[in-house]
Amino acid sequence: MKHGKKYQDSTKLVDTTVLYDTTEAIENCLKTAKAKFDETVEIHVRLGVDSRHAEQQVRGAVVLPNGTGKTVRVMVFCKGDKVDAALAAGADYAGADEYMQKIQGGWMDFDVVIASPDMMGVVGRLGKILGPRGLMPSPKAGTVTPDVVKAVQEAKAGKIEYRLDKTNIIHCPIGKVSFGVEKLQENFDTLMGAIVKAKPAAAKGQYVRSCVLATTMGPGVKVNPSKFC
């Protein structure tokens, strides 16, 4: 793969043989941001578990103290008084069958889907559409809940879901380059704390195998995983 001049210049700022402590890793990561837009800072964590086994799954959700820097569009499946309550809490869309039909027709102008438990019969019909996009509501992520107001507020405040992919890696945003080191450090610590707390009882050996930070257009910066083991 060929990289542009800016990327190549950024790689010279990072020693790929070094495992940096968190603060230094964030500082180096920010130095590599050379795009004209406010790049997202992402974390990629490889865990010593096997996602093929249900008892070794790692999945959950956490509210980042400083948000993600992204405007989140929230769709809520609910009915009755909860529709007005969800909209008042900041939801962009709230309703039932009419939105199911719109989504079946190809409409996807949202980033998070929340559902009250009584609506899962409706939402279940959208599994083949929402599932592959990682948008299917789930109780574990807090997106299937009777308290849709709280769920909407958390989503708007910067709640993110973390889950293993097929290669046993978790990929998550922790903010924008413009946040600076301190805010990114707080978000990083909150997310990693949640991931460590979610360690399955069936996990053996070293839990956090590797941790890498990177901006949208920049190279990876390795974080020393020893403090999370």
Side-chain angles (χ1 to χ4, degrees):
M1 183 184 294
K2 291 185 177 180
H3 292 288
K5 185 176 183 298
K6 288 183 179 180
Y7 182 92
Q8 292 175 354
D9 288 342
S10 293
T11 60
K12 297 174 183 176
L13 302 172
V14 179
D15 188 340
T16 57
T17 66
V18 174
L19 297 176
Y20 296 98
D21 64 33
T22 306
T23 302
E24 193 173 5
I26 294 173
E27 290 172 347
N28 284 333
C29 190
L30 297 185
K31 289 177 184 176
T32 68
K34 297 184 179 296
K36 293 181 179 179
F37 60 91
D38 192 7
E39 296 181 56
T40 297
V41 178
E42 302 165 350
I43 183 174
H44 309 275
V45 185
R46 185 166 66 91
L47 300 180
V49 295
D50 189 343
S51 61
R52 293 174 297 178
H53 301 291
E55 71 275 12
Q56 294 190 45
Q57 273 291 339
V58 178
R59 180 180 182 181
V62 63
V63 178
L64 299 180
N66 300 298
T68 63
K70 178 182 178 182
T71 300
V72 180
R73 299 167 299 175
V74 179
M75 168 72 231
V76 182
F77 280 98
C78 58
K79 57 187 178 181
D81 294 341
K82 289 184 178 180
V83 173
D84 290 336
L87 293 172
D92 297 89
Y93 315 99
D97 293 328
E98 68 275 24
Y99 283 105
M100 179 191 71
Q101 293 168 4
K102 284 185 69 173
I103 292 171
Q104 288 176 329
W107 177 75
M108 293 294 292
D109 292 341
F110 48 85
D111 307 296
V112 175
V113 180
I114 294 166
S116 58
D118 60 327
M119 294 303 299
M120 287 309 293
V122 172
V123 179
R125 300 177 213 169
L126 301 172
K128 291 183 178 179
I129 300 173
L130 300 178
R133 294 173 171 82
L135 292 171
M136 193 66 183
S138 78
K140 196 161 188 178
T143 45
V144 176
T145 173
D147 192 349
V148 295
V149 169
K150 181 181 178 182
V152 169
Q153 291 170 340
E154 288 182 340
K156 288 290 187 177
K159 185 176 185 177
I160 61 168
E161 183 179 358
Y162 58 87
R163 62 186 300 179
L164 287 175
D165 66 9
K166 292 180 180 179
T167 61
N168 303 316
I169 299 175
I170 290 174
H171 310 272
C172 282
I174 60 167
K176 297 287 187 178
V177 168
S178 60
F179 280 22
V181 176
E182 186 176 339
K183 288 184 177 180
L184 289 171
Q185 174 88 59
E186 290 176 352
N187 282 358
F188 177 95
D189 290 343
T190 299
L191 176 59
M192 284 304 299
I195 292 173
V196 170
K197 190 175 181 179
K199 179 180 178 180
K204 305 297 181 183
Q206 185 176 343
Y207 180 51
V208 179
R209 296 290 179 85
S210 66
C211 179
V212 176
L213 287 170
T215 59
T216 306
M217 305 296 288
V221 180
K222 296 177 182 177
V223 181
N224 190 342
S226 62
K227 67 176 288 188
F228 309 112
C229 297

